[in-house]
């Protein structure tokens, strides 16, 4: 029995009903079988996002994005279909453990934890079943409350353990930390922010980070926000930044990786991904993070009480900060920073120069993991490497060329981190120390040097460890011809006197 599905025709002057466009996110599209395959009608009602795009939608679905109604077939490049084998990648497999012998395509739908719109299946299914969204628990109990408050009292400490704080806040580190900092600076009162709207915005931001990403998740966003706060309290910035600058810095840090899919830009480009087409292969992820953040700002109406030109200015400047985190633009920003320091032309009384320093501060905060104490830095290094390796596993499975650093058989955490510190982190933080030669800058450089040495030591141990079996085998062969009087110390490792 064949069942036909047809979306309702939506006139221009009417907003999209919630059952058609049910959720947020700057961009969303849907497909059940492949990255660019024909959509499954069962998935149509599960689409979420401020932009919900489906090339098979013949009713010309009208949507509202940033207060502008856009026809789905106008202003966006259509999904490119071809017989190319790389286009059959299903994003639902991104975080599926490979090699477990199960067929992803045959798995029950209830086990699919990610839609092609990069949103969590669980949240979507709750909306479809009509279950009201519950506010995440802010605390666990009074003991946890006290410990979390104690940690917030030391939020400016560079040794701040974001992993512990996330546990103490029941997984709500980003909400709790960002709200605390906005309130501590008096920005809520100064900008007359509605508390309910602000809370809803922060909840939605944390929600739209993907918890199953090993690295690019809400904890990373909270860590970057805490680092950004540390930089903004440095003497040079503390006496120069305006309240507007601080508001932008905190919001940009909290949203800088919003709705990150867990794969990098080259992966999106070589699979002809919808986002790569939309942003013309330029700062694809960063543009998506920015537009996702703007979508949430407008959905919650956080700045709706401001004059339109002011809210647009915030959105524009927010995008400028988030786009600066594009690692492919690292050398351009670094050369400009170095030139301004050499020529001593930085003037923090200029709004343009302050904004540039905020961009550099956010870039530092985004990659500051090698500058943390070893106990924290090591955890972050393992998480980001695992995310790389998961992408490499997907590329292997679908016979794609494996991206650099993503092959778990050819790379290790240590060599990836040593290379990253040498070629990316050290040059950036050396220039930041020139700009802000403080105790914090020296602490970061010290930790980075120690961490690099620690990774080198681990690499040497692993290299020597891999040679031990060969050495042990040679000793075993030599011991075979020895007499019974051979001592136990001469026995190969793992052998016993018995």
């Amino acid at each position: 029995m064949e069942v036909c599905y047809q979306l309702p025709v939506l006139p221009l002057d009417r907003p999209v009903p919630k059952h058609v466009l049910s959720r947020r996110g700057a961009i969303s599209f849907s497909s059940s079988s492949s990255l660019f395959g024909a959509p499954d009608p069962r998935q149509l009602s599960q689409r979420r996002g401020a932009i919900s795009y489906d090339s098979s939608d013949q009713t010309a679905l009208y949507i509202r994005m940033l207060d502008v109604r856009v026809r789905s077939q106008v202003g966006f490049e259509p999904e490119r279909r071809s017989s190319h084998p790389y286009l059959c990648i299903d994003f639902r497999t991104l975080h599926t453990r490979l090699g477990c012998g199960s067929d992803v395509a045959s798995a029950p739908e209830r086990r699919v934890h990610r839609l092609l719109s990069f949103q969590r299946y669980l949240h979507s299914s709750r909306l479809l079943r009509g279950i009201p969204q519950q506010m995440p628990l802010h605390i666990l109990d009074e003991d946890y409350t006290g410990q979390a408050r104690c940690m917030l009292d030391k939020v400016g400490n560079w040794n701040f353990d974001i992993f512990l704080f996330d546990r103490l806040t029941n997984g709500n580190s980003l909400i709790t930390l960002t709200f605390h900092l906005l309130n501590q600076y008096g920005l809520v009162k100064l900008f007359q922010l509605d508390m309910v709207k602000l809370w809803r915005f922060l909840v939605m931001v944390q929600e739209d980070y993907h918890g199953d990403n090993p690295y690019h998740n809400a904890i990373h966003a909270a860590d970057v926000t805490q680092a950004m706060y540390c930089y903004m309290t440095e003497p040079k910035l503390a006496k120069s930044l305006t309240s507007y600058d601080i508001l932008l810095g905190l919001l940009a840090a909290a949203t800088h990786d919003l709705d990150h899919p867990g794969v990098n830009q080259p992966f999106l480009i070589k699979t002809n991904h919808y986002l790569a087409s939309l942003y013309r292969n330029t700062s694809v992820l960063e543009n998506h993070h920015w537009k996702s953040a703007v979508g949430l700002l407008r959905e919650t109406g956080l700045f709706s009480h401001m004059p339109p030109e002011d809210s647009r200015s915030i959105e524009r400047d927010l995008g400028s900060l988030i786009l600066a985190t594009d690692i492919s633009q690292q050398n351009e920003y670094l050369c400009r920073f170095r030139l301004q320091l050499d020529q001593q032309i930085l003037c923090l009384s200029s709004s343009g120069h302050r904004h540039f320093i905020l961009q550099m501060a956010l870039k530092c905060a985004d990659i500051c993991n090698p500058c943390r104490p070893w106990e924290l830095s090591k955890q972050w290094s393992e998480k980001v490497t695992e995310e790389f390796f998961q992408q490499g596993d997907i590329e292997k499975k679908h016979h794609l060329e494996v991206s650099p650093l993503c092959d778990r058989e050819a790379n290790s955490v240590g060599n990836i981190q040593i290379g990253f510190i040498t070629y990316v982190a050290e040059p950036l933080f050396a220039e930041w120390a020139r700009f802000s030669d403080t105790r914090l800058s020296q602490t970061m450089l010290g930790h980075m040097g120690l961490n690099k040495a620690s990774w080198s030591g681990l690499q040497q141990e692993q290299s020597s460890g891999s040679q031990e079996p060969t050495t042990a085998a040679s000793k075993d062969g030599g011991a075979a011809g020895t007499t019974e009087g051979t001592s136990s110390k001469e026995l190969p490792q793992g052998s016993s006197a018995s």
Side-chain angles (χ1 to χ4, degrees):
M1 176 179 176
E2 183 177 356
V3 180
C4 297
Y5 295 82
Q6 185 175 3
L7 291 178
V9 178
L10 302 177
L12 268 173
D13 59 346
R14 293 180 60 187
V16 178
K18 291 185 178 179
H19 72 276
V20 176
L21 180 59
S22 58
R23 219 355 220 113
R24 55 195 169 269
I27 298 163
S28 146
F29 65 101
S30 178
S31 174
S32 65
S33 59
S34 67
L35 189 59
F36 294 99
D40 186 341
R42 294 172 299 177
Q43 298 286 349
L44 290 178
S45 61
Q46 294 180 355
R47 291 180 291 147
R48 300 179 293 175
I51 291 182
S52 181
Y53 179 76
D54 184 355
S55 63
S56 70
D57 185 350
Q58 301 302 318
T59 64
L61 177 64
Y62 288 86
I63 58 171
R64 293 187 298 177
M65 170 57 181
L66 309 183
D67 290 344
V68 179
R69 291 182 177 88
V70 184
R71 184 167 178 163
S72 60
Q73 297 178 351
V74 178
F76 298 95
E77 295 185 9
E79 298 174 357
R80 289 175 285 179
R81 289 185 174 87
S82 73
S83 59
H84 201 290
Y86 293 179
L87 301 186
C88 61
I89 297 177
D90 191 337
F91 263 57
R92 292 174 298 173
T93 67
L94 283 179
H95 297 281
T96 302
R97 292 185 179 273
L98 301 177
C100 60
S102 62
D103 186 4
V104 175
S106 62
E109 282 191 346
R110 64 177 179 274
R111 297 183 62 186
V112 177
H113 295 289
R114 186 187 300 284
L115 298 179
L116 297 185
S117 58
F118 305 154
Q119 300 293 343
R120 291 177 298 282
Y121 173 79
L122 179 60
H123 178 77
S124 177
S125 62
R126 284 178 175 174
L127 288 175
L128 292 172
R129 293 196 304 266
I131 300 176
Q133 173 69 13
Q134 294 182 351
M135 192 76 72
L137 293 176
H138 189 219
I139 57 174
L140 293 179
D141 54 38
E142 289 300 323
D143 292 335
Y144 281 87
T145 305
Q147 295 179 57
R149 287 175 179 171
C150 287
M151 290 195 69
L152 285 176
D153 290 339
K154 301 179 181 179
V155 69
N157 192 322
W158 188 247
N159 298 337
F160 191 86
D161 188 342
I162 196 64
F163 298 108
L164 174 60
F165 185 72
D166 190 67
R167 292 192 294 270
L168 293 177
T169 56
N170 195 29
N172 294 307
S173 56
L174 181 58
I175 299 173
T176 309
L177 180 68
T178 308
F179 185 88
H180 170 78
L181 294 178
L182 290 172
N183 195 50
Q184 176 174 293
Y185 273 113
L187 301 177
V188 177
K189 182 178 181 180
L190 180 63
F191 289 94
Q192 300 179 353
L193 302 180
D194 184 281
M195 296 288 284
V196 174
K197 291 180 180 179
L198 175 60
W199 181 262
R200 181 170 177 242
F201 170 76
L202 294 177
V203 168
M204 291 166 67
V205 167
Q206 180 174 278
E207 224 173 49
D208 281 353
Y209 278 96
H210 304 157
D212 48 1
N213 285 346
Y215 182 79
H216 289 104
N217 51 43
I219 304 177
H220 166 67
D223 184 63
V224 172
T225 303
Q226 190 270 338
M228 191 67 172
Y229 170 74
C230 291
Y231 298 151
M232 292 193 300
T233 56
E234 290 284 77
K236 272 190 176 181
L237 292 181
K239 66 181 181 181
S240 303
L241 294 179
T242 65
S243 298
Y244 178 78
D245 297 328
I246 296 171
L247 177 67
L248 274 180
L250 294 177
L251 291 180
T255 61
H256 80 285
D257 274 332
L258 190 61
D259 200 27
H260 197 292
V263 293
N264 59 20
Q265 175 173 295
F267 181 91
L268 300 178
I269 293 176
K270 68 185 177 183
T271 55
N272 286 347
H273 192 276
Y274 161 74
L275 290 177
S277 299
L278 179 63
Y279 297 116
R280 303 184 185 279
N281 299 342
T282 304
S283 299
V284 175
L285 288 171
E286 290 72 27
N287 271 295
H288 179 57
H289 305 325
W290 168 35
K291 295 300 176 64
S292 297
V294 171
L296 295 189
L297 285 173
R298 296 208 171 185
E299 183 176 345
T300 58
L302 184 61
F303 299 130
S304 60
H305 62 287
M306 296 183 178
E309 58 272 17
D310 290 346
S311 59
R312 284 196 296 268
S313 177
I314 292 176
E315 294 168 0
R316 182 180 61 252
D317 292 341
L318 182 67
S320 177
L321 292 180
I322 294 176
L323 290 175
T325 61
D326 186 353
I327 198 68
S328 66
Q329 307 295 324
Q330 178 84 354
N331 287 336
E332 297 179 15
Y333 280 92
L334 188 59
C335 290
R336 179 183 170 189
F337 193 30
R338 184 180 293 118
L339 179 64
Q340 292 189 354
L341 292 175
D342 290 341
Q343 297 180 352
Q344 299 182 352
I345 58 176
L346 272 175
C347 178
L348 296 184
S349 60
S350 165
S351 60
H353 286 192
R354 288 198 309 273
H355 188 78
F356 175 69
I357 291 301
L358 279 179
Q359 290 177 317
M360 297 307 300
L362 184 58
K363 290 179 67 65
C364 288
D366 191 25
I367 63 169
C368 72
N369 303 145
C371 302
R372 297 285 191 179
W374 171 252
E375 293 77 12
L376 300 176
S377 179
K378 184 173 182 290
Q379 293 184 68
W380 285 120
S381 299
E382 292 169 345
K383 289 177 181 296
V384 71
T385 305
E386 178 57 28
E387 190 166 297
F388 290 163
F389 289 165
Q390 285 187 5
Q391 176 179 324
D393 293 341
I394 298 299
E395 291 169 330
K396 288 180 182 178
K397 178 169 180 164
H398 295 281
H399 309 291
L400 290 162
E401 179 183 357
V402 179
S403 300
L405 308 180
C406 293
D407 190 345
R408 66 173 72 246
E409 297 177 0
N411 298 278
S412 66
V413 180
N415 62 34
I416 290 176
Q417 287 305 304
I418 292 172
F420 181 80
I421 291 173
T422 302
Y423 299 109
V424 179
E426 284 181 341
L428 177 62
F429 284 96
E431 297 304 321
W432 180 263
R434 287 180 60 197
F435 165 72
S436 179
D437 187 10
T438 62
R439 181 178 178 180
L440 174 59
S441 296
Q442 297 307 314
T443 298
M444 291 192 297
L445 292 176
H447 283 316
M448 185 160 50
L450 292 174
N451 293 337
K452 185 177 179 180
S454 296
W455 285 120
S456 298
L458 288 177
Q459 287 288 95
Q460 293 177 0
E461 289 180 7
Q462 292 175 357
S463 299
S464 61
S466 62
Q467 296 175 358
E468 284 182 1
T470 304
T471 306
S474 62
K475 288 183 179 180
D476 195 8
T482 59
T483 63
E484 289 181 319
T486 304
S487 66
S488 61
K489 291 182 179 180
E490 296 174 339
L491 293 173
Q493 185 176 3
S495 300
S496 60
S498 60

